[in-house]
Amino acid sequence: MTTLDEYRLLGRSGLRVSPFSLGAMTFGDAWGWGADKATSRRIFDAYLEAGGNCVDTANIYTDGQSEQYIGEFVRGRRESVVIATKYAGTRNPLDPNAGGGNRKSLIASVEASLRALGTDYIDLFYLHVWDGLTPADEIIAALGELVRTGKVLYLGISDTPAWEISRMQTIAELRGWPAFAALQVEYSLIERTTERDLIPMATELGLGVIPWSPLGGGVLTGKYSAASLEIQASAGSRRDHAVAHRTLNTRGLTIADVAADVARDIGATAAQVALAWTLHNPAVVSPLVGARTPEQLQHNLGALDVHLEDEHLRRLDDVSSTDPGFPHEFLTRPMVRGVMHGATRSRPRNPVRW
């Protein structure tokens, strides 16, 4: 895979998306660290000109600027762009039903997103975050209704426990309702615990995996050092964001150092190595790449030209591996496998990366 226009099918659907999606959380400067409208437009245009076709946003990104900008940028070329947005983030902190997964929040959010985007349909619509309150059957039923009305074409889910997603996907399949085509989760060399249940679940149930933060909040670019852990940054800075998400720590910096070593061996950058690594997981369809400048975008897209040898992958896996937890580790023990299979050996249908 060397170009953005070598498209991939999204899960068990016919929707084709580029091997990298454009993350638009940086579109807008309302949060203090994004790109202004003119710069966002240049980033958007550069992505499409390179062959990209999928842009990802959410109703709450940069206080609504992101959706509004995308709505302006797609005018005249709406049909050729796959727009993904999300709901569940509150639109009014004082209204208990202005956020979350419930049907009232969903309907109001999708209507607001349609207005902001200046379109009459959304290509891919996600539940953004599991609220722990709304029944799973209410969510999948309400999302399916949107598909039947034509306001939404495909469904996705993000940041939700695997067993809840499995239940919703099964309900949809049994009742003939629209099912999820995409799973968006944090996945990078630093955050690999999604390999325990979420990614194998996605493979088994037909969801294409869309990793967010594949650069570990910027840590895998190599821009931070041990000294960064001691710096008192301003509130809301990108550094504080990385600390809060537990990617900027001693372990994250160690992984970033190995990515940088591999990058030097092959004539790439640490960021390109980290992005290329995510594409080696067959469940991954289209990692999100964000940028605050067109140059940063072009640099990240260069990851499509990076070839990682088995030795490089081994070094990266060794430094970033995580405990698979129970029952996964237990089920790999020789004694347990011997009790189940005796002396026979079988090749698994969907091997995991442990």
Side-chain angles (χ1 to χ4, degrees), residues 273-301:
V273 165
L275 290 169
W277 176 87
T278 64
L279 292 172
H280 275 267
N281 189 320
V284 169
V285 175
S286 184
L288 299 181
V289 292
R292 282 181 285 173
T293 66
E295 294 74 22
Q296 195 176 65
L297 173 67
Q298 293 296 340
H299 171 82
N300 288 339
L301 296 181

Side-chain angles (χ1 to χ4, degrees), residues 233-313:
S234 59
S237 69
R238 293 294 284 167
R239 175 201 167 277
D240 279 1
H241 190 267
V243 171
H245 280 272
R246 297 185 293 181
T247 54
L248 180 51
N249 51 35
T250 301
R251 176 177 175 273
L253 292 173
T254 299
I255 295 170
D257 286 344
V258 174
D261 289 341
V262 170
R264 282 190 287 271
D265 287 349
I266 62 177
T269 66
Q272 291 170 339
V273 165
L275 290 169
W277 176 87
T278 64
L279 292 172
H280 275 267
N281 189 320
V284 169
V285 175
S286 184
L288 299 181
V289 292
R292 282 181 285 173
T293 66
E295 294 74 22
Q296 195 176 65
L297 173 67
Q298 293 296 340
H299 171 82
N300 288 339
L301 296 181
L304 292 171
D305 296 321
V306 171
H307 176 69
L308 297 175
E309 301 286 354
D310 289 345
E311 171 62 17
H312 302 139
L313 292 170

Side-chain angles (χ1 to χ4, degrees), residues 192-212:
R192 293 183 58 185
T193 59
T194 41
E195 292 176 354
R196 292 174 178 167
D197 291 298
L198 284 159
I199 291 179
M201 174 215 66
T203 299
E204 193 69 23
L205 298 183
L207 288 78
V209 176
I210 309 291
W212 60 263

Side-chain angles (χ1 to χ4, degrees), residues 168-208:
M168 284 185 277
Q169 193 77 338
T170 302
I171 289 172
E173 290 179 354
L174 287 174
R175 296 183 178 177
W177 295 350
F180 294 119
L183 171 68
Q184 193 170 132
V185 289
E186 184 175 6
Y187 185 52
S188 71
L189 280 164
I190 295 177
E191 177 49 81
R192 293 183 58 185
T193 59
T194 41
E195 292 176 354
R196 292 174 178 167
D197 291 298
L198 284 159
I199 291 179
M201 174 215 66
T203 299
E204 193 69 23
L205 298 183
L207 288 78

Side-chain angles (χ1 to χ4, degrees), residues 122-195:
I122 294 166
D123 297 285
L124 177 59
F125 194 59
Y126 288 92
L127 171 70
H128 200 165
V129 180
W130 182 250
D131 67 10
L133 299 171
T134 308
D137 54 352
E138 177 179 334
I139 292 172
I140 194 63
L143 286 169
E145 290 165 7
L146 288 178
V147 175
R148 286 186 285 272
T149 65
K151 292 184 177 181
V152 168
L153 304 186
Y154 296 92
L155 302 177
I157 190 162
S158 174
D159 305 338
T160 297
W163 64 274
E164 293 285 9
I165 300 171
S166 299
R167 179 161 65 170
M168 284 185 277
Q169 193 77 338
T170 302
I171 289 172
E173 290 179 354
L174 287 174
R175 296 183 178 177
W177 295 350
F180 294 119
L183 171 68
Q184 193 170 132
V185 289
E186 184 175 6
Y187 185 52
S188 71
L189 280 164
I190 295 177
E191 177 49 81
R192 293 183 58 185
T193 59
T194 41
E195 292 176 354

Side-chain angles (χ1 to χ4, degrees), residues 1 47 56 61 90 92 98 125 127 174 176 181 186 229 231 253 286 307 312 322 324 335 339 343 349 353:
M1 188 72 68
Y47 173 75
D56 179 273
Y61 286 171
T90 184
N92 180 356
F125 194 59
L127 171 70
L174 287 174
E186 184 175 6
L229 300 176
I231 297 173
L253 292 173
S286 184
H307 176 69
H312 302 139
T322 57
M335 181 273 289
V339 168
R349 182 174 62 252
R353 296 185 62 161

Side-chain angles (χ1 to χ4, degrees), residues 338-351:
V339 168
M340 290 188 292
H341 306 298
T344 67
R345 298 179 64 186
S346 302
R347 182 175 181 176
R349 182 174 62 252
N350 294 314

